[in-house]
Amino acid sequence: MTVKITTLVENTVGIGGSRELIGEHGLAFLIETGAQRILFDTGQYLALQNNARILGIDLAAIDTVVLSHGHYDHTGGLRHLLACNSHFSLYAHPDVFASKLIKRNNQYRQVGMPVGKETLVQKGVTLRLHTAPAQIAPHILTTGEIPLESNFESVAQGFFVDKDGYQVRDTLADDQALILKTGKGPVVVLGCSHRGVINTLNHVKKISGEEKIYALMGGLHLFKTTGENLDTILQHLQRFDLEKMVVGHCTGSHAIQALHTRFENKVVINTVGHTITF
């Protein structure tokens, strides 16, 4: 299977890109395979609609949306997508609709989805909510819930969910990735890797039955990971012998530099408008 992936939303716009493209803290990929058009995450707010228009991409042609998790910077663009298209299937973990919070300076702030389940249903969106891996097409499946198995990766502190007025720590069980079985090998599309990139890749190998993963794309959530812990993660990443890593969003500049130092030209910094075919 041949797959074309276009970055519609990322934190930055690459040098040489159209001046009309905009970056925002968020992530969205258009995945095209044959007649299927899959949107993986939707960005935070305005970038999805603007960048799709500049890049000549018709959002009304999207037939499938996959959400990596329920944070606003991955789901906020749904508001603009619904303005032109509500005839799609939405794949996500059931917890994606939880009332998500972040705690900073002893204050809680809402960071969950700005579009509720009821609104999506009323608009005619088909919800496909699964905790287990979900088959989207013959060569495309979600990871479902990712086990927390490694002793060097953990969900970042500060995330909570509101349950009946009580703030409970959010383990981000809704965090998931997408597996594309291409002619070059499996490509793993990541949102933020909140459950850990190594946990994610180990899970991918188990459920896909593939011994080697060809590439990964997305955010690795390493922007606060430093020193020995970062080195340990990179050592484990090395054993997957990936051919390509297209990284950005929450990966962090120092982590991207460390990835470049260790993996050299296998690492690509992702930007708005970047297109790659597998």
Side-chain angles (χ1 to χ4, degrees), residues 48-49 58-62 78-88:
L48 177 70
Q49 184 182 48
D58 183 9
L59 293 178
I62 300 293
L78 276 170
R79 289 170 290 185
H80 294 290
L81 179 61
L82 287 171
C84 66
N85 180 0
S86 60
H87 304 292
F88 56 86

Side-chain angles (χ1 to χ4, degrees), residues 23-55:
E24 69 178 16
H25 180 76
L27 193 67
F29 294 115
L30 173 67
I31 301 168
E32 299 175 86
T33 168
Q36 195 163 20
R37 302 291 181 270
I38 301 170
L39 185 64
F40 181 84
D41 286 346
T42 68
Q44 179 182 154
Y45 187 51
L46 292 173
L48 177 70
Q49 184 182 48
N50 177 81
N51 295 343
R53 177 177 59 83
I54 300 304
L55 294 170

Side-chain angles (χ1 to χ4, degrees), residues 71 95 98-103 108 148 153-163 166-174 194-195 221:
H71 284 158
D95 289 355
S99 179
K100 292 178 174 288
L101 309 167
I102 192 168
K103 188 177 183 181
Y108 291 98
L148 295 171
E153 291 180 309
S154 60
V155 177
Q157 299 289 321
F159 292 116
F160 292 84
V161 290
D162 188 312
K163 292 187 177 181
Y166 293 92
Q167 288 74 49
V168 180
R169 185 164 181 255
D170 189 0
T171 61
L172 282 148
D174 54 320
H194 280 294
R195 305 276 282 188
H221 212 267

Side-chain angles (χ1 to χ4, degrees), residues 103-165:
K103 188 177 183 181
R104 292 286 186 269
N105 300 319
N106 216 32
Q107 297 289 322
Y108 291 98
R109 178 171 61 88
Q110 291 280 348
V111 292
M113 282 183 65
V115 180
K117 183 189 293 187
E118 297 78 11
T119 299
L120 292 167
V121 172
Q122 288 171 5
K123 290 283 189 178
V125 175
T126 301
L127 298 183
R128 302 191 184 278
L129 307 179
H130 305 274
T131 58
Q135 196 83 41
I136 294 175
H139 300 287
I140 304 174
L141 72 157
T142 68
T143 60
E145 202 166 305
I146 297 163
L148 295 171
E149 294 181 338
S150 69
N151 60 7
F152 51 86
E153 291 180 309
S154 60
V155 177
Q157 299 289 321
F159 292 116
F160 292 84
V161 290
D162 188 312
K163 292 187 177 181
D164 301 319

